[in-house]
Amino acid sequence: MESTHSSLREEEARKNNTSGSKPGGWPSFPFIIATVAGITLASSGIWANLIVYLIQEFNIKSISATQISNVVNGTTNLVPFVAAIIADCFFGSFTLVLVSSCVSLLGTIVFALTASIKSLRPKQCINNGSNICEAASVMQYGVLYVGIALVAIGFGGTRFTTAALGANQFHDNTHHQTIFFNWFFFTWYVVSVAGFTGLVYIQDNVSWGVGFWICVVSNMIGVMVFLMGYRYYLPQTPRGRSAFVDLARVPVASIRKWKSQLSSSTQDYYNGAHHHDATLPAVSAIPAKRFRFFNRAALLTEGDSIEKSWRLCTVQQVEDFKKVIGILPLLTSSIFLAIPIGMEANLSLLQALVMEAHLGPHFKFPAGSLGVILLISTSIFLSLLDRVLWPFYQKITGKTPTPLQRIGVGHVFNILGMVVSAIVESKRLKMFHDANKSMSILWLFPQLVLVGVGEAFHFPGQVAFYYQQLPQSLSSTSTAMISLIIGIAFYLITALTHEVRRSTHWLPDNIDYGRVDNVYWMLVLFSGINFVYYLICATFYKYTKI
């Protein structure tokens, strides 16, 4: 049924394509990018100011609000990985993006209702010197968390699945895929800037309700444009089963045959040839020597048969498993790279709330818009890399920088950003305690610029690396790998923040009486050690030919 449905859809797509050309390629690009723009504007309008919304409208203490934000961000970034598996196995990227965008639309509506209906949120704090705050009721928290859950699932399901859908339109041209990824992230960052500025300004200066209803409209437009481009999309045939099951079979089969002696003959390995007797010779290449223990999974031994799938795997499945194993060290390094970035984002926002935010007599910089500095710097540098630096590098060296080289440069900028963050916070605390003065919020800009430039290097580099190096059976999952990394990182940030608060006095609810600078110096040390670890992993990694 799955394959029949996919064939019918492909035939229908080709018939409806009025241009007479095959689906996919650049004709699908405007629709996918426009969808990314609509969904991204909606998501950035909610996530950018979430911590401030929780503090001001639901009377949640600052560090607790950041912890909630960490859990929400972690969930939002884990969902794409699950969605990618579902897309690969059962429904394809198109269906997943459509369903997820509709779920996010419901979530944005619920979120807008919490801001528009007074009974759905607690009364504001009474600032009469005692700062009396009424806690939200169970019902109010329930509605809030339902909205957050729907938005997290919806936005999470669309983000990297859309990237996979776009990359699949250029499945036979890695150069065009690279260009698509650059434009995907450029659009993502530029539109996020609009959300972090315009929508946050509306939420702070007009009303939360108006800002959130704009998110609803943006999400709705994204869904409509996505459907309009249906006939231009290259259909994706789902596998019908999880590729992770095939990968899990490899170590099981290897362990079950651990006593078997490996052979150097191609006839002794199974390649999935179309015969029903697995004991017959199969024409196949010999599995690579790397991680050769797992070659036993494809080794033909007495008692093997195709029906015993947990005892016999194909050579291709073995090699796919080895690819995943080879990438794991770099994946862990990427998780450790994301931890300082996430913590710096949360701490910078809390710093902004207690710093002098007035820029001139008439304008106050919204704390929730602080992330726009990072987004702008990343967007500008992405364009600079794509149009100037990479062509210049290629002209000088005759080569294009590898994804791992780009990620390594991102590590360096990230460390520099943490160093600047620590120095600025030390100066801020000194001004507050010695002169009782508030430092200007402008002092936070340099560290955000450095982290943003680092993201321009390592973020697209990681997406391209995982897409190109993971097995083709994990195409959607590979683009969601960076999301999995960020999701795990945010959960680890929650645990790390809890441990810092338990073991030290660095992170009180009022950070003016804490030592956030020490937290930043801790992140500098953490990032430095991780960079050395990354260099070791990258040095020994062997690229898979694409």
Side-chain angles (χ1 to χ4, degrees):
M1 288 292 292
E2 289 266 18
S3 58
T4 302
H5 176 74
S6 299
S7 299
L8 289 174
R9 182 189 157 193
E10 183 172 356
E11 182 180 350
E12 180 184 351
R14 298 190 191 285
K15 285 181 179 180
N16 290 338
N17 192 344
T18 56
S19 65
S21 61
K22 290 166 56 174
W26 290 108
S28 64
F29 176 78
F31 298 97
I32 294 176
I33 288 298
T35 301
V36 171
I39 301 297
T40 301
L41 182 63
S43 63
S44 62
I46 290 178
W47 298 142
N49 231 7
L50 178 62
I51 294 177
V52 178
Y53 185 61
L54 294 177
I55 294 173
Q56 294 183 355
E57 299 298 318
F58 280 81
N59 303 335
I60 298 174
K61 292 182 185 251
S62 60
I63 299 298
S64 298
T66 62
Q67 290 291 71
I68 293 174
S69 178
N70 288 335
V71 173
V72 170
N73 277 308
T75 304
T76 304
N77 285 284
L78 287 179
V79 167
F81 189 76
V82 178
I85 295 175
I86 296 174
D88 272 337
C89 302
F90 305 110
F91 303 112
S93 298
F94 174 85
T95 303
L96 245 295
V97 172
L98 178 60
V99 172
S100 298
S101 59
C102 290
V103 171
S104 67
L105 178 60
L106 290 176
T108 53
I109 292 174
V110 173
F111 227 94
L113 290 175
T114 65
S116 303
I117 302 175
K118 290 185 178 180
S119 61
L120 294 181
R121 61 184 188 275
K123 295 179 181 179
Q124 290 188 333
C125 296
I126 303 173
N127 296 311
N128 59 356
S130 57
N131 200 29
I132 301 173
C133 295
E134 176 183 307
S137 66
V138 174
M139 184 273 290
Q140 291 167 341
Y141 274 132
V143 174
L144 174 69
Y145 290 146
V146 166
I148 289 177
L150 289 173
V151 169
I153 293 171
F155 290 146
T158 58
R159 184 184 300 175
F160 288 97
T161 311
T162 308
L165 177 66
N168 289 339
Q169 308 307 307
F170 309 98
H171 64 96
D172 56 350
N173 192 318
T174 56
H175 176 65
H176 286 176
Q177 285 177 349
T178 301
I179 295 174
F180 169 79
F181 281 131
N182 284 341
W183 277 107
F184 175 85
F185 283 106
F186 177 76
T187 303
W188 187 0
Y189 281 112
V190 169
V191 175
S192 294
V193 168
F196 273 73
T197 53
L199 290 182
V200 169
Y201 182 83
I202 291 172
Q203 291 163 1
D204 285 357
N205 296 278
V206 180
S207 77
W208 289 97
V210 173
F212 289 147
W213 282 114
I214 293 176
C215 294
V216 173
V217 173
S218 177
N219 196 323
M220 186 178 300
I221 293 174
V223 175
M224 294 171 61
V225 172
F226 183 67
L227 287 173
M228 289 171 58
Y230 172 76
R231 63 182 178 179
Y232 297 101
Y233 304 144
L234 184 68
Q236 175 187 356
T237 303
R239 288 169 52 88
R241 64 179 182 181
S242 174
F244 286 94
V245 173
D246 290 339
L247 295 178
R249 287 166 49 197
V250 174
V252 173
S254 301
I255 293 173
R256 294 180 69 177
K257 294 188 285 188
W258 67 278
K259 291 183 179 180
S260 301
Q261 294 295 320
L262 293 173
S263 171
S264 59
S265 173
T266 59
Q267 295 182 343
D268 292 330
Y269 292 95
Y270 178 58
N271 74 334
H274 297 292
H275 53 67
H276 297 288
D277 185 0
T279 61
L280 295 176
V283 179
S284 169
I286 300 175
K289 293 183 179 180
R290 187 178 66 155
F291 305 123
R292 63 198 310 264
F293 171 81
F294 298 107
N295 292 351
R296 291 174 172 82
L299 185 67
L300 289 166
T301 60
E302 185 178 354
D304 286 348
S305 68
I306 297 176
E307 287 74 20
K308 296 181 180 180
S309 59
W310 288 87
R311 182 177 174 86
L312 182 64
C313 302
T314 67
V315 172
Q316 184 62 52
Q317 289 168 344
V318 171
E319 293 305 308
D320 286 351
F321 179 78
K322 291 179 180 180
K323 289 180 182 178
V324 175
I325 294 297
I327 284 174
L328 285 180
L330 288 166
L331 188 144
T332 57
S333 176
S334 295
I335 293 173
F336 298 146
L337 171 64
I339 289 175
I341 296 173
M343 286 199 73
E344 194 260 357
N346 288 339
L347 294 176
S348 294
L349 192 147
L350 295 183
Q351 289 172 276
L353 289 172
V354 297
M355 295 174 78
E356 177 54 60
H358 285 91
L359 305 179
H362 304 295
F363 178 72
K364 182 179 180 181
F365 194 94
S369 295
L370 194 64
V372 76
I373 306 303
L374 184 148
L375 293 171
I376 290 175
S377 59
T378 303
S379 301
I380 292 175
F381 219 79
L382 276 173
S383 300
L384 189 63
L385 287 174
D386 188 47
R387 299 296 180 184
V388 180
L389 293 183
W390 293 150
F392 179 75
Y393 179 88
Q394 189 171 16
K395 184 178 180 180
I396 297 298
T397 65
K399 296 183 293 184
T400 301
T402 66
L404 290 182
Q405 290 172 334
R406 296 165 67 181
I407 296 170
V409 176
H411 273 268
V412 175
F413 276 99
N414 189 56
I415 294 173
L416 292 175
M418 296 304 116
V419 171
V420 173
S421 298
I423 295 173
V424 168
E425 176 61 9
S426 296
K427 182 176 178 62
R428 188 193 74 81
L429 288 175
K430 183 176 178 59
M431 285 181 61
F432 175 79
H433 290 292
D434 292 352
N436 197 24
K437 290 183 179 180
S438 295
M439 177 185 282
S440 171
I441 197 172
L442 293 175
W443 281 93
L444 295 177
F445 287 14
Q447 65 200 50
L448 295 171
V449 169
L450 287 170
V451 174
V453 171
E455 281 204 15
F457 281 98
H458 68 74
F459 203 3
Q462 288 183 81
V463 174
F465 173 75
Y466 293 122
Y467 187 84
Q468 295 171 4
Q469 296 299 300
L470 281 172
Q472 185 62 36
S473 60
L474 301 177
S475 58
S476 293
T477 311
S478 60
T479 57
M481 192 65 70
I482 183 64
S483 186
L484 173 68
I485 289 168
I486 296 172
I488 294 174
F490 269 109
Y491 280 113
L492 292 176
I493 290 170
T494 305
L496 180 59
T497 302
H498 174 75
E499 184 59 30
V500 169
R501 296 197 76 189
R502 188 185 68 85
S503 304
T504 71
H505 299 289
W506 295 350
L507 288 176
D509 286 315
N510 187 342
I511 63 171
D512 283 336
Y513 299 96
R515 291 303 304 269
V516 175
D517 56 332
N518 286 347
V519 178
Y520 281 128
W521 285 120
M522 177 188 71
L523 295 177
V524 171
L525 178 62
F526 183 88
S527 300
I529 295 173
N530 182 47
F531 181 50
V532 174
Y533 171 63
Y534 170 80
L535 290 177
I536 295 173
C537 295
T539 300
F540 288 98
Y541 181 78
K542 294 183 179 180
Y543 274 94
T544 301
K545 293 183 179 179
I546 314 171

